[in-house]
Amino acid sequence: MKLLGAGLATLALGCRPESATPRRKHWAWMGASVGSDDDARRTFARLKSSGIDALLLHENREEGPAFYERLIPLAQAEGIELHAWIPTMMRAELLETHPDWYAVNREGVSTAEKPPYVDYYRFLSPCVPGVRAYLADYYDRMAQIEGLAGLHLDYIRFPDVILPITLQPKYGLVQDREYPPFDYGYHPECRAQFKAQTGLDPLELEDPSANEAWRQFRYDQITAWCVRSPSACMRGANR
């Protein structure tokens, strides 16, 4: 029976028509500046004629979910599979309403006040309950959009504590260790929660970067929002 099964499997594989082999899907990434509906139609048509099957389209924060609701039927009409590409912790739309929700470095400076490296590095703090609720609600709404093929989540982290060595000269930096201006996670909520768990204030540690419990605590804070928004985390997060 084992030999017979093996023979049938070989026969089945040998007789598989060439057309049954899945064709490799070709992808493209694009920013949110797609213009009017007519502009978008032309763009999608050009992408399709160039062999693109699926598009990772950056979110438009001014339109929110309505951005994708508007574009999905236009993309589908041209045979384009539309996916949402969305930064997670790096979000600037709450600067005016909730400046206290942003990540704080070891010097006590918030990304709402002075972001590291570049102006758009406005990272939220995952320790803040309001941040978790906001992200959970936003991604749950995104996951319900009819026809959206997937959510691809980026920047699921704190700001870079050490840049890649090839990028450091661009910013005039030498980062041979974790320096306070780039070491994040010291929002009052983070410190209070860590102290409640361990009895320690991370700012009182001799070398916070060497404390494994503090490092793991921050890892856990970043991933905890998935518990609140499982539908988003199961819809194709790519980082």
Side-chain angles (χ1 to χ4, degrees), residues 89 101-104 123-128 131-132 158 185 187 189-190:
M89 302 311 300
W101 283 8
Y102 285 79
V104 176
F123 280 68
L124 295 169
S125 173
C127 303
V128 178
V131 168
R132 294 185 185 178
F158 288 97
H187 189 284
E189 285 281 355
C190 293

Side-chain angles (χ1 to χ4, degrees), residues 117-226:
Y117 311 118
V118 288
D119 187 64
Y120 60 82
Y121 256 39
R122 308 285 182 166
F123 280 68
L124 295 169
S125 173
C127 303
V128 178
V131 168
R132 294 185 185 178
Y134 175 82
L135 291 176
D137 177 69
Y138 185 79
Y139 287 120
D140 282 344
R141 285 188 290 128
M142 292 292 294
Q144 303 305 315
I145 296 176
E146 187 68 29
L148 190 64
L151 303 181
H152 296 253
L153 312 183
D154 205 347
Y155 291 95
I156 310 175
R157 56 181 174 84
F158 288 97
D160 317 63
V161 64
I162 297 178
L163 288 175
I165 194 168
T166 54
L167 282 180
Q168 293 178 26
K170 177 180 179 180
Y171 299 97
L173 296 171
V174 175
Q175 294 178 318
D176 52 0
R177 59 187 174 88
E178 297 184 10
Y179 289 97
F182 310 104
D183 182 20
Y184 283 83
Y186 296 84
H187 189 284
E189 285 281 355
C190 293
R191 292 173 56 196
Q193 292 172 27
F194 183 69
K195 189 167 186 177
Q197 289 184 21
T198 65
L200 301 172
D201 183 337
L203 283 179
E204 295 177 358
L205 297 171
E206 183 176 348
D207 182 6
S209 68
N211 188 285
E212 184 59 33
W214 173 231
R215 183 184 301 273
Q216 187 61 51
F217 171 83
R218 288 180 287 179
Y219 290 161
D220 293 343
Q221 296 305 307
I222 285 291
T223 58
W225 74 274
C226 283

Side-chain angles (χ1 to χ4, degrees), residues 23-92:
R23 185 178 72 84
R24 178 176 294 180
K25 185 180 293 186
H26 296 93
W27 296 71
W29 179 94
M30 194 169 73
S33 300
V34 296
S36 67
D37 286 1
D38 287 339
D39 292 332
R41 288 189 188 95
R42 286 190 288 269
T43 297
F44 295 146
R46 285 197 300 270
L47 288 170
K48 190 62 179 180
S49 66
S50 300
I52 298 300
D53 304 295
L55 179 64
L56 296 167
L57 184 62
H58 196 292
E59 70 172 335
N60 181 313
R61 293 181 182 174
E62 292 182 1
E63 289 190 53
F67 176 66
Y68 295 104
E69 292 171 342
R70 173 171 70 89
L71 295 175
I72 286 169
L74 307 181
Q76 290 178 336
E78 300 297 337
I80 295 289
E81 186 179 288
L82 198 61
H83 295 246
W85 184 85
I86 310 175
T88 300
M89 302 311 300
M90 190 180 73
R91 308 196 67 85

